[in-house]
Amino acid sequence: MESPTEPSLAKGIRDIIVIGGIIGGVNAAVSRGDFGWLQMNPTPWLILPTLIGARYGVFMGVAAGIAAGLGISMAQAREHGLVVQAVSQHHPFFFSALIVAGFVAGEFQRYAKGRSRELLETTHGQAEDLYRVRAELELCRETRQALQRHLAVHQAATASLDDDLRKLITGKPGELLDSLLALLQQHAQIISAAIYKVAGGKLIRLAVIEPTEALAETLRIDEVPLAAKALDETTIASVKDPLTTSTSQPFLVAVPFADVKGAGVLIIQDMPLQAFDWQHLARIDLILHWTFALLRHREDLGGGRQGVPLVLMEDFMVLLGQALQAEATHSLPSAVIRVDFNNLDQAKNPRVEKQLLASLPATALATRLPAHGSLIVLLPFGGEMEAEAASRALNTTSNDLRLCHYIVVGPADTQTFWSHIMQ
C-alpha cells in the first residue's frame, strides 16, 4: 500500500493538469495572442516542468515539459494555421528548454531525496546513539550513587591515608605528634585528646589538641582507669555510654601504642556522638598502629638513612597480616611488589639494594627472601596505581629486574596470600 506522503503517477498527472491549467488560464487572460509566451525570455511556462520535476522526479518533470510543449504547439498551430511539427521546428530552443527544465529539476529532486535519505539515516543513527548514551549516563549516575553509598559504608575518609601517613612520616620530627593528632582529627573527628608516654606509674603528656584541665601534663595511671585498662590489655578501652562521663572519669577512649621509646596511650576526652562508634575507634587504632609501626622500623633499622627500612621476615609477615586485616575491616587495600634479580651479582650488591630502597615511597616496608635475595615490598594502603608507580620507580634504578605486584585484598589469611606471592 502506497504511503500517503509518497508522490504517485496519478498525483503527478493531476498536478500537471492543475498547474498547467492555471498557467494556461493566466496566459490566455493576459496574452491571448501569444499563447505560451514565446516572445518572453524566460517563459513563465518553465514553472510547470520545474515544479513537477522538483516534486515528482525526472520522469514526471520531462513529461510535464513535453505536455506543456505539446499544448503550446497545438495552440500556436491552431492560431496560425500551421501544423504542430512546424511550430516545434520554428522554436526548438523554447520547447527543448521546457524538457530540460523538467529534467534538471527532477535530477535535483533525486539528489535532494538521496541526500535527505542519508541525513535521515544519520539522524536515526544519532538518535540511537543518543538513546544509548542517555542510558549509559543513567547507568553511570546509578553506579556513582551506589559507589558513593559503598564508600560511605566502607569509610571513604581513609581513602587518602597513604598520602597522609607519608606526609606525617617525612615531616619534621618535632612536629610528628602534633601532626598525628591533626590527622586523627581529620580522619576520626576527635575534638580534644592528648598523647602520653608511660613513665613508671605516670603518664607524661607529649602532645595535645584542644587542651583541658583533665588532660593534664602529668597523670597517674591508677587515676585513669581507661588508660590502665588499655595498657594492661593492649587494646582499645572506651566507656559504654559517652553521656556517663564525670569529673572523676572525664575520658571517652584510651588507645595504647608502642614506639621505640616504649609504651604510650592516646586519651580522647571529646568527640562527636555520631563519631563515637566502632568504625571510628578502629580507624583511630589503625592510624596509631601504622604510624608508630612505620616509625619504629625506620628508627630501629637505620631510619636516619635514605630509603625505606629492610625489616626481618618475621616482622614483615606480621605487618602483611595486619595489612590484610586493615583491608577486611576498613576496605583499605595494600599492595605487595616482588622484585627478582636476573643478575645474582646485583642481588648481593649493597649499592643496588640502597638505590632500590631509596626509590620507594616513605611508607613502604621491604624484606629479603633468604633463598635467592629477592626483595618483597609492602605498600600499606596503596592500590593498583601506587603499585604501578612504585614499579616504574624501581625499574628506573635497574633494567635487569623482574617485577610483579599483588593487591592485598581479602578474604585471605597471611599464609595463603604469601603462598600466592611465592608462586
Side-chain angles (χ1 to χ4, degrees):
M1 184 176 178
E2 185 182 8
S3 170
T5 61
E6 287 292 323
S8 65
L9 180 62
K11 290 181 179 179
I13 295 172
R14 179 201 64 190
D15 287 351
I16 290 174
I17 296 172
V18 172
I19 298 173
I22 293 173
I23 296 175
V26 174
N27 191 168
V30 302
S31 185
R32 183 181 297 275
D34 183 20
F35 189 82
W37 283 300
L38 298 178
Q39 305 303 318
M40 295 183 65
N41 186 22
T43 174
W45 278 94
L46 289 171
I47 295 174
L48 175 61
T50 301
L51 289 178
I52 297 300
R55 176 68 180 92
Y56 296 100
V58 173
F59 176 77
M60 293 301 296
V62 171
I66 293 173
L70 286 174
I72 293 170
S73 297
M74 292 171 63
Q76 287 285 339
R78 186 173 57 253
E79 182 177 349
H80 299 290
L82 301 173
V83 295
V84 173
Q85 185 177 3
V87 177
S88 300
Q89 291 176 350
H90 190 63
H91 301 282
F93 176 76
F94 176 87
F95 292 107
S96 298
L98 293 175
I99 298 174
V100 170
F103 176 82
V104 171
E107 281 295 313
F108 178 79
Q109 186 264 3
R110 184 178 65 83
Y111 169 78
K113 190 174 182 180
R115 183 60 180 159
S116 176
R117 187 180 298 109
E118 291 177 2
L119 293 175
L120 187 61
E121 291 174 357
T122 301
T123 302
H124 286 162
Q126 291 176 341
E128 293 176 358
D129 291 342
L130 179 60
Y131 176 80
R132 183 168 58 254
V133 168
R134 285 177 174 172
E136 291 175 355
L137 178 60
E138 185 61 29
L139 180 61
C140 287
R141 287 173 178 169
E142 293 177 359
T143 304
R144 184 185 65 180
Q145 293 173 356
L147 180 60
Q148 289 173 340
R149 290 193 296 268
H150 177 79
L151 291 176
V153 171
H154 291 284
Q155 308 304 321
T158 54
S160 62
L161 188 55
D162 180 42
D163 287 336
D164 292 336
L165 284 178
R166 185 180 300 116
K167 293 175 184 176
L168 186 68
I169 293 170
T170 57
K172 297 179 180 179
E175 301 175 356
L176 172 67
L177 296 180
D178 290 329
S179 299
L180 175 58
L181 287 174
L183 183 63
L184 291 171
Q185 187 178 45
Q186 174 188 344
H187 284 278
Q189 302 181 38
I190 65 170
I191 296 176
S192 178
I195 295 176
Y196 291 87
K197 70 174 183 179
V198 178
K202 295 182 179 180
L203 299 174
I204 308 300
R205 193 178 74 187
L206 302 177
V208 64
I209 183 171
E210 295 294 332
T212 63
E213 184 178 350
L215 294 171
E217 292 188 3
T218 302
L219 295 173
R220 291 176 56 86
I221 295 179
D222 55 7
E223 293 178 350
V224 188
L226 278 180
K229 182 179 180 181
L231 291 167
D232 289 341
E233 300 178 2
T234 62
T235 188
I236 300 175
S238 67
V239 296
K240 294 182 179 180
D241 186 350
L243 300 179
T244 59
T245 56
S246 61
T247 304
S248 59
Q249 203 319 96
F251 305 121
L252 296 174
V253 183
V255 185
F257 63 87
D259 61 9
V260 293
K261 298 179 182 179
V265 63
L266 168 72
I267 299 179
I268 301 173
Q269 183 177 6
D270 190 18
M271 63 189 304
L273 286 176
Q274 66 269 21
F276 187 77
D277 56 21
W278 178 87
Q279 290 178 336
H280 283 80
L281 299 184
R283 190 183 305 162
I284 293 170
D285 185 51
L286 175 80
I287 294 173
L288 276 178
H289 168 76
W290 279 99
T291 298
F292 288 110
L294 293 172
L295 289 172
R296 184 168 62 253
H297 286 293
R298 289 175 66 87
E299 294 177 9
D300 282 349
L301 302 168
R305 70 185 183 186
Q306 185 181 14
V308 304
L310 195 62
V311 304
L312 298 174
M313 177 65 70
E314 294 78 6
D315 293 335
F316 188 89
M317 295 296 288
V318 172
L319 292 168
L320 179 60
Q322 291 169 346
L324 282 165
Q325 182 62 38
E327 196 284 327
T329 305
H330 301 279
S331 295
L332 282 173
S334 298
V336 171
I337 302 175
R338 175 170 173 167
V339 184
D340 293 316
F341 296 88
N342 294 323
N343 187 335
L344 293 180
D345 291 335
Q346 279 195 339
K348 299 175 182 178
N349 190 331
R351 184 177 61 84
V352 173
E353 175 187 295
K354 183 178 180 180
Q355 290 176 343
L356 291 173
L357 295 177
S359 69
L360 293 170
T363 50
L365 295 161
T367 191
R368 282 273 199 178
L369 294 180
H372 38 72
S374 296
L375 277 177
I376 307 295
V377 180
L378 173 64
L379 302 174
F381 319 129
E384 187 77 28
M385 293 179 61
E386 290 78 4
E388 291 178 356
S391 297
R392 288 194 297 270
L394 288 167
N395 267 325
T396 60
T397 64
S398 174
N399 294 324
D400 207 13
L401 302 174
R402 283 181 289 113
L403 301 175
C404 295
H405 67 263
Y406 310 85
I407 304 302
V408 181
V409 293
D413 57 64
T414 307
Q415 289 301 326
T416 301
F417 189 81
W418 185 255
S419 299
H420 179 58
I421 296 174
M422 292 298 102
Q423 289 179 354

